[in-house]
Amino acid sequence: MTSRLAVWKKPMTKIPFASLSAAIATLATALGFLTVQLREDGYEQYVESVASASVVMYVTAALVVVTWFRASRPHSD
């Protein structure tokens, strides 16, 4: 019987990093367009919050890509 720790040491190859990153980046793009639309429609009080959420989503998508890259590399231990 394998221990639970042995299961966690397996490389993360089956996690859909590409689709996750693409979905998060798509959400960030949609929030970016919403920011522009809110500014045009005069809802200036919401622009900063939505723009910040958009930036956070882009950063998250980038971190998912970095995680994907690091998980695909062979581990030294």
Side-chain angles (χ1 to χ4, degrees), residues 15-27 57 60-65 67-68:
I15 297 175
F17 286 114
S19 60
L20 177 63
S21 180
I24 293 171
T26 302
L27 175 62
M57 290 293 105
T60 303
L63 289 174
V64 168
V65 171
T67 303
W68 181 14

Side-chain angles (χ1 to χ4, degrees), residues 38-66:
L38 287 172
R39 182 165 286 159
E40 288 176 1
D41 291 343
Y43 291 102
E44 197 67 35
Q45 68 269 24
Y46 301 113
V47 169
E48 185 178 350
S49 298
V50 177
S52 296
S54 177
V55 170
V56 167
M57 290 293 105
Y58 278 124
V59 170
T60 303
L63 289 174
V64 168
V65 171
V66 168

